[in-house]
Amino acid sequence: MASVVLHGNLSIDIFDPATTEWKRWLQRFLAAIKIFKVPVDQQILYLLHYVGSSAFDVICNKMAPADPYAVPFEELVANLAEFYAPEPLEIAENFRFYQRKQKDGESVKDFVAALHKLSVHCNFGLYLKTALQNQLVFGLSSHRGQSRLLESKDLTFDKAVQVATAMELSEKDSRQLQSGTAVVEYVGSKDRRAEKKGPRKKKSVQEKSAKEKNETNKTNVGKNHVSQSGTYANTNISCYRCGKNHLASKCTLDRNIKCNFCGTPGHLRKVCMGAKRASANQVEEVLTVEHWEHRNKFFKTLAVDGKPLRFEIDSGTAVSIVTKEGTQIRVEKLLQRYRKELDPGLTKIRGLQASLVTKENAKPIFLKARTVPFKLLPLVEQELQTLVKDGILEKVNTSRWATPIVPVLKKNNRVRLCGDFSVTINPNLLIDEHPLPTIDELFASMAGGTKFTKIDLQQAYLQLEVRKEDRELLTLSTHKGLFRSTRLMYGIASAPAIWQREIENILGDIRFS
C-alpha cells in the first residue's frame, strides 16, 4: 500500500447520521478531496476515516467477509447510501409535507426551510411553488397573517413568504413596544434614589464651592427644587395596578386579583379607569370598529357642463354602526318582500331533467317492501305524505320495477327516505361519468379570494326532476304501497355525476364559482 500523505488542512466533520444527511455530507467530502487534490488511490482511506466509527462498523458488517479497504470507492459510497439514505416513499413524503404545521416559537423562515426540506422527495415538479405556497398558508400559526394571505390577490410563494415574514416581525416589534418600560425624565425633580447608590466620595474644595454657588441659584417650583446643573428622574410616578409610587413593572400585586368595579384582573378599584369615568359621569369609548375589507371608497360619475366627472361619495366614515333591532326590522321587511321567492318547500329546478340510461337487455326487478321499525313508522308515513304533497312522489298501483326503502333518521327528528337501489337499478345502469372536484382543486380555485359565499341546497337531489320515461325505474316499495319518484333519488349510482354536471352548467357563467 502506498504511503498516505496528509494534504494541507483537509478536515471535515465526522459523519453523524443523527445530525447530518448522508447525501449532504458526501457532497462536502467530495468537494474537500477535490479542493485538496487527494489522489484516487487514497480517497478510500480518507472516506473510511471521516465516516466515523459507527458508519465504519456498518460498512464492515455489510460487506463482510470482504475488506472495505479493498473495495472500489464507488461501491463503498453506494453501500453507505443504501444504508443511510434509502429511497423514500413518495406517498409517505407527501403525507408528511401536508401534515407539517408551524410549531410554537418557530419563525416563518424556519417553517419555510422545513417545508423546502420535506418537499425534496415529494416529486412536485412544476407544482412545487404552488404546493409550498398552499402549505405555507394552511400551516401558518398566526391567524392574522393567514387572513392577510387569504385575502391577497395574485399570491405567489415568494410574496407569501415576504408578507408572512413582515407581519411576524411587526407583531414581534409591537409586543416589545407594548411590554417595554419607558423612563421619563423631567427638569426640576431630583433623583433621591441616585444619591443612595454608589460609594460616597470626599468632595474637593472646588466642588464644595461650586455646590454652594448652585445652592444660591435654586428656584423653588412646587415641591421639587430645580438646579441649573441638570435634569433628574421624576419621582412622582403612580402605578396603574395598585396606585403606589413605583413603576408597574416593579409592582408586586398579584396579577390574578380582580377589580371590584369592572371585574378585570390585574388592578385595584382605586386606580380603575372605569370607576373614575363612572364617578365623573363621563361618556367612555365602548367599542372600536375596524374592517379593512370594507374601506374601499365609493365613487359616482356625474355630468358637469356636459362632461362626465368622477366624484367620491363622502359618507363621513368608512364603517357605520347600526342597532341590532334596526337590522332585524330591515331583514324582516326583506323576507316579507321576497317571501314567494324564499319558499322553504322543495321546488324543482326549472328547465332541467335528469335522464337514466339502462343497459341493453336489462330485466326489471321487483322487490317487496321491507319491515320498518315500529318507532319509525309514524315518521316514515309523515315523510311520505310530505313528499306526495310536494309532488316528489306519486302513488301508483303497478310497476315493473320496485325498490325497498331505507329510512335514515336525522337530527331534527325527521327521516330521509332512500332507496336500496344497489339490488335493483344500479347493476343495470350505464353510470354517468363526470369528474368530482378534489379538495386541492377547490382550495386552488379559492386562492386569492377575499369574499366567500356558500350555497346550501336543502335535499339537493330532490330538486332535480327526472324524465317521465325514467320514473318507473325509481319506484319505491313501502308498507303503504308503491310510490313513483319524479325527482332524482338518493342511492342512484349516477346521481353524483349528474348533479355535479348540471350544477356546473348552472354556475358556469358566474366568475370565481
Side-chain angles (χ1 to χ4, degrees), residues 250-284:
K250 305 294 184 181
C251 185
T252 58
L253 181 70
D254 187 6
R255 297 297 189 269
N256 295 323
I257 191 171
K258 291 186 178 180
C259 172
N260 292 333
F261 181 81
C262 65
T264 304
H267 66 270
L268 300 178
R269 180 190 177 96
K270 65 180 181 179
V271 293
C272 180
M273 298 299 295
K276 293 179 180 179
R277 290 170 182 162
S279 61
N281 195 21
Q282 295 179 352
V283 178
E284 63 181 59

Short mmCIF file of all heavy atoms in Angstrom, two decimals, residues 250-284:
data_model
loop_
_atom_site.label_atom_id
_atom_site.label_comp_id
_atom_site.label_asym_id
_atom_site.label_seq_id
_atom_site.Cartn_x
_atom_site.Cartn_y
_atom_site.Cartn_z
N LYS A 250 -42.48 46.98 38.34
CA LYS A 250 -41.91 46.61 39.64
C LYS A 250 -43.00 46.28 40.67
O LYS A 250 -42.69 45.98 41.82
CB LYS A 250 -41.05 47.77 40.18
CG LYS A 250 -39.97 48.23 39.23
CD LYS A 250 -38.90 47.17 39.02
CE LYS A 250 -37.78 47.67 38.13
NZ LYS A 250 -36.74 46.63 37.90
N CYS A 251 -44.24 46.32 40.24
CA CYS A 251 -45.35 46.11 41.17
C CYS A 251 -45.42 44.65 41.60
O CYS A 251 -45.28 43.73 40.79
CB CYS A 251 -46.67 46.54 40.54
SG CYS A 251 -48.08 46.45 41.67
N THR A 252 -45.64 44.42 42.88
CA THR A 252 -45.72 43.06 43.43
C THR A 252 -47.16 42.59 43.60
O THR A 252 -47.40 41.52 44.18
CB THR A 252 -45.02 43.01 44.79
OG1 THR A 252 -45.63 43.95 45.68
CG2 THR A 252 -43.53 43.32 44.64
N LEU A 253 -48.12 43.37 43.10
CA LEU A 253 -49.52 42.98 43.22
C LEU A 253 -49.80 41.71 42.41
O LEU A 253 -49.28 41.55 41.29
CB LEU A 253 -50.42 44.12 42.73
CG LEU A 253 -51.93 43.87 42.81
CD1 LEU A 253 -52.39 43.85 44.27
CD2 LEU A 253 -52.70 44.95 42.05
N ASP A 254 -50.58 40.81 42.98
CA ASP A 254 -50.93 39.57 42.29
C ASP A 254 -51.68 39.89 41.00
O ASP A 254 -52.67 40.62 40.99
CB ASP A 254 -51.80 38.70 43.21
CG ASP A 254 -52.06 37.32 42.60
OD1 ASP A 254 -51.47 37.02 41.54
OD2 ASP A 254 -52.84 36.57 43.20
N ARG A 255 -51.19 39.33 39.89
CA ARG A 255 -51.81 39.61 38.58
C ARG A 255 -53.21 39.01 38.45
O ARG A 255 -53.97 39.40 37.58
CB ARG A 255 -50.92 39.07 37.46
CG ARG A 255 -49.54 39.72 37.36
CD ARG A 255 -49.64 41.20 37.04
NE ARG A 255 -48.34 41.78 36.74
CZ ARG A 255 -47.53 42.33 37.62
NH1 ARG A 255 -47.91 42.37 38.90
NH2 ARG A 255 -46.37 42.84 37.27
N ASN A 256 -53.54 38.06 39.30
CA ASN A 256 -54.85 37.41 39.20
C ASN A 256 -55.93 38.09 40.03
O ASN A 256 -57.10 37.71 39.96
CB ASN A 256 -54.75 35.94 39.64
CG ASN A 256 -53.86 35.13 38.70
OD1 ASN A 256 -53.88 35.35 37.50
ND2 ASN A 256 -53.09 34.20 39.26
N ILE A 257 -55.55 39.09 40.82
CA ILE A 257 -56.54 39.77 41.64
C ILE A 257 -57.46 40.58 40.73
O ILE A 257 -57.03 41.18 39.76
CB ILE A 257 -55.84 40.68 42.69
CG1 ILE A 257 -56.85 41.16 43.72
CG2 ILE A 257 -55.13 41.84 42.03
CD1 ILE A 257 -56.22 41.87 44.90
N LYS A 258 -58.76 40.60 41.04
CA LYS A 258 -59.75 41.24 40.18
C LYS A 258 -60.24 42.55 40.79
O LYS A 258 -60.35 42.69 42.01
CB LYS A 258 -60.95 40.31 39.95
CG LYS A 258 -60.63 39.09 39.11
CD LYS A 258 -61.89 38.28 38.81
CE LYS A 258 -61.56 37.08 37.92
NZ LYS A 258 -62.78 36.29 37.61
N CYS A 259 -60.54 43.49 39.91
CA CYS A 259 -61.07 44.79 40.32
C CYS A 259 -62.50 44.63 40.81
O CYS A 259 -63.31 43.93 40.17
CB CYS A 259 -61.00 45.79 39.16
SG CYS A 259 -61.82 47.37 39.47
N ASN A 260 -62.84 45.27 41.94
CA ASN A 260 -64.20 45.17 42.49
C ASN A 260 -65.22 45.94 41.67
O ASN A 260 -66.43 45.75 41.86
CB ASN A 260 -64.21 45.68 43.94
CG ASN A 260 -63.43 44.77 44.86
OD1 ASN A 260 -63.30 43.58 44.59
ND2 ASN A 260 -62.89 45.32 45.94
N PHE A 261 -64.76 46.79 40.75
CA PHE A 261 -65.69 47.58 39.95
C PHE A 261 -65.97 46.94 38.58
O PHE A 261 -67.11 46.66 38.23
CB PHE A 261 -65.16 49.00 39.75
CG PHE A 261 -66.09 49.88 38.95
CD1 PHE A 261 -67.18 50.49 39.55
CD2 PHE A 261 -65.87 50.09 37.59
CE1 PHE A 261 -68.05 51.29 38.80
CE2 PHE A 261 -66.73 50.88 36.85
CZ PHE A 261 -67.82 51.49 37.45
N CYS A 262 -64.91 46.70 37.81
CA CYS A 262 -65.09 46.18 36.44
C CYS A 262 -64.86 44.68 36.33
O CYS A 262 -65.21 44.07 35.31
CB CYS A 262 -64.17 46.90 35.46
SG CYS A 262 -62.41 46.62 35.76
N GLY A 263 -64.26 44.06 37.37
CA GLY A 263 -64.03 42.62 37.33
C GLY A 263 -62.84 42.19 36.52
O GLY A 263 -62.57 41.00 36.39
N THR A 264 -62.08 43.14 35.98
CA THR A 264 -60.90 42.80 35.18
C THR A 264 -59.72 42.51 36.09
O THR A 264 -59.45 43.29 37.02
CB THR A 264 -60.55 43.96 34.22
OG1 THR A 264 -61.69 44.26 33.42
CG2 THR A 264 -59.38 43.59 33.33
N PRO A 265 -58.99 41.41 35.87
CA PRO A 265 -57.85 41.10 36.74
C PRO A 265 -56.67 42.02 36.44
O PRO A 265 -56.50 42.51 35.33
CB PRO A 265 -57.54 39.64 36.40
CG PRO A 265 -58.05 39.45 35.01
CD PRO A 265 -59.25 40.33 34.89
N GLY A 266 -55.84 42.23 37.46
CA GLY A 266 -54.58 42.95 37.26
C GLY A 266 -54.52 44.33 37.86
O GLY A 266 -53.46 44.95 37.80
N HIS A 267 -55.60 44.87 38.45
CA HIS A 267 -55.55 46.20 39.07
C HIS A 267 -56.62 46.29 40.16
O HIS A 267 -57.52 45.45 40.24
CB HIS A 267 -55.74 47.31 38.03
CG HIS A 267 -57.11 47.33 37.42
ND1 HIS A 267 -57.42 46.61 36.29
CD2 HIS A 267 -58.26 47.97 37.79
CE1 HIS A 267 -58.69 46.81 35.97
NE2 HIS A 267 -59.23 47.62 36.87
N LEU A 268 -56.49 47.38 40.98
CA LEU A 268 -57.42 47.61 42.08
C LEU A 268 -58.48 48.64 41.69
O LEU A 268 -58.33 49.37 40.70
CB LEU A 268 -56.65 48.09 43.32
CG LEU A 268 -55.59 47.13 43.87
CD1 LEU A 268 -54.87 47.77 45.05
CD2 LEU A 268 -56.19 45.80 44.26
N ARG A 269 -59.54 48.71 42.48
CA ARG A 269 -60.65 49.62 42.19
C ARG A 269 -60.21 51.08 42.23
O ARG A 269 -60.68 51.90 41.44
CB ARG A 269 -61.78 49.37 43.19
CG ARG A 269 -63.00 50.27 42.98
CD ARG A 269 -63.99 50.16 44.13
NE ARG A 269 -65.10 51.08 43.96
CZ ARG A 269 -66.27 50.75 43.42
NH1 ARG A 269 -66.47 49.51 43.03
NH2 ARG A 269 -67.22 51.65 43.29
N LYS A 270 -59.28 51.43 43.12
CA LYS A 270 -58.92 52.84 43.29
C LYS A 270 -58.18 53.41 42.08
O LYS A 270 -58.13 54.65 41.91
CB LYS A 270 -58.07 53.01 44.55
CG LYS A 270 -56.71 52.32 44.50
CD LYS A 270 -55.95 52.56 45.80
CE LYS A 270 -54.58 51.90 45.78
NZ LYS A 270 -53.83 52.14 47.02
N VAL A 271 -57.62 52.54 41.23
CA VAL A 271 -56.95 53.02 40.01
C VAL A 271 -57.72 52.61 38.77
O VAL A 271 -57.22 52.76 37.65
CB VAL A 271 -55.51 52.49 39.93
CG1 VAL A 271 -54.66 53.09 41.02
CG2 VAL A 271 -55.48 50.97 40.00
N CYS A 272 -58.92 52.07 38.93
CA CYS A 272 -59.71 51.60 37.79
C CYS A 272 -60.20 52.80 36.98
O CYS A 272 -60.86 53.71 37.52
CB CYS A 272 -60.89 50.76 38.27
SG CYS A 272 -61.93 50.14 36.92
N MET A 273 -59.91 52.82 35.70
CA MET A 273 -60.34 53.91 34.83
C MET A 273 -61.86 53.91 34.68
O MET A 273 -62.48 54.97 34.57
CB MET A 273 -59.67 53.79 33.47
CG MET A 273 -58.16 53.89 33.50
SD MET A 273 -57.61 55.48 34.14
CE MET A 273 -58.21 56.57 32.88
N GLY A 274 -62.45 52.73 34.67
CA GLY A 274 -63.91 52.66 34.56
C GLY A 274 -64.60 53.29 35.75
O GLY A 274 -65.61 53.98 35.61
N ALA A 275 -64.06 53.05 36.95
CA ALA A 275 -64.65 53.64 38.14
C ALA A 275 -64.52 55.16 38.14
O ALA A 275 -65.44 55.87 38.53
CB ALA A 275 -63.99 53.06 39.39
N LYS A 276 -63.37 55.67 37.67
CA LYS A 276 -63.18 57.12 37.63
C LYS A 276 -64.14 57.76 36.64
O LYS A 276 -64.72 58.81 36.90
CB LYS A 276 -61.73 57.43 37.25
CG LYS A 276 -60.72 57.02 38.31
CD LYS A 276 -59.32 57.34 37.87
CE LYS A 276 -58.29 56.93 38.94
NZ LYS A 276 -56.91 57.21 38.49
N ARG A 277 -64.31 57.11 35.48
CA ARG A 277 -65.22 57.67 34.48
C ARG A 277 -66.67 57.63 34.97
O ARG A 277 -67.46 58.54 34.73
CB ARG A 277 -65.10 56.90 33.18
CG ARG A 277 -63.78 57.15 32.46
CD ARG A 277 -63.61 56.19 31.32
NE ARG A 277 -62.32 56.37 30.65
CZ ARG A 277 -61.75 55.48 29.86
NH1 ARG A 277 -62.37 54.32 29.65
NH2 ARG A 277 -60.60 55.73 29.28
N ALA A 278 -67.03 56.52 35.65
CA ALA A 278 -68.40 56.40 36.14
C ALA A 278 -68.69 57.45 37.22
O ALA A 278 -69.78 58.03 37.26
CB ALA A 278 -68.65 55.00 36.69
N SER A 279 -67.71 57.70 38.08
CA SER A 279 -67.92 58.68 39.14
C SER A 279 -68.02 60.09 38.59
O SER A 279 -68.72 60.94 39.12
CB SER A 279 -66.78 58.58 40.16
OG SER A 279 -65.54 58.86 39.53
N ALA A 280 -67.31 60.35 37.48
CA ALA A 280 -67.36 61.69 36.87
C ALA A 280 -68.51 61.83 35.90
O ALA A 280 -68.69 62.89 35.29
CB ALA A 280 -66.04 61.98 36.17
N ASN A 281 -69.28 60.72 35.69
CA ASN A 281 -70.42 60.73 34.76
C ASN A 281 -69.97 61.13 33.36
O ASN A 281 -70.58 61.97 32.70
CB ASN A 281 -71.51 61.68 35.25
CG ASN A 281 -72.83 61.43 34.52
OD1 ASN A 281 -73.03 60.34 33.97
ND2 ASN A 281 -73.70 62.41 34.50
N GLN A 282 -68.87 60.54 32.89
CA GLN A 282 -68.32 60.83 31.58
C GLN A 282 -68.74 59.75 30.60
O GLN A 282 -69.01 58.61 30.97
CB GLN A 282 -66.80 60.94 31.63
CG GLN A 282 -66.31 62.11 32.48
CD GLN A 282 -64.79 62.15 32.51
OE1 GLN A 282 -64.14 61.24 32.03
NE2 GLN A 282 -64.25 63.21 33.07
N VAL A 283 -68.74 60.13 29.31
CA VAL A 283 -69.02 59.17 28.25
C VAL A 283 -67.71 58.49 27.86
O VAL A 283 -66.73 59.16 27.55
CB VAL A 283 -69.63 59.88 27.01
CG1 VAL A 283 -69.89 58.86 25.90
CG2 VAL A 283 -70.91 60.57 27.40
N GLU A 284 -67.69 57.17 27.91
CA GLU A 284 -66.47 56.43 27.60
C GLU A 284 -66.63 55.69 26.28
O GLU A 284 -67.73 55.42 25.82
CB GLU A 284 -66.16 55.42 28.70
CG GLU A 284 -67.22 54.35 28.88
CD GLU A 284 -66.86 53.40 30.01
OE1 GLU A 284 -66.71 53.87 31.15
OE2 GLU A 284 -66.72 52.22 29.73
#
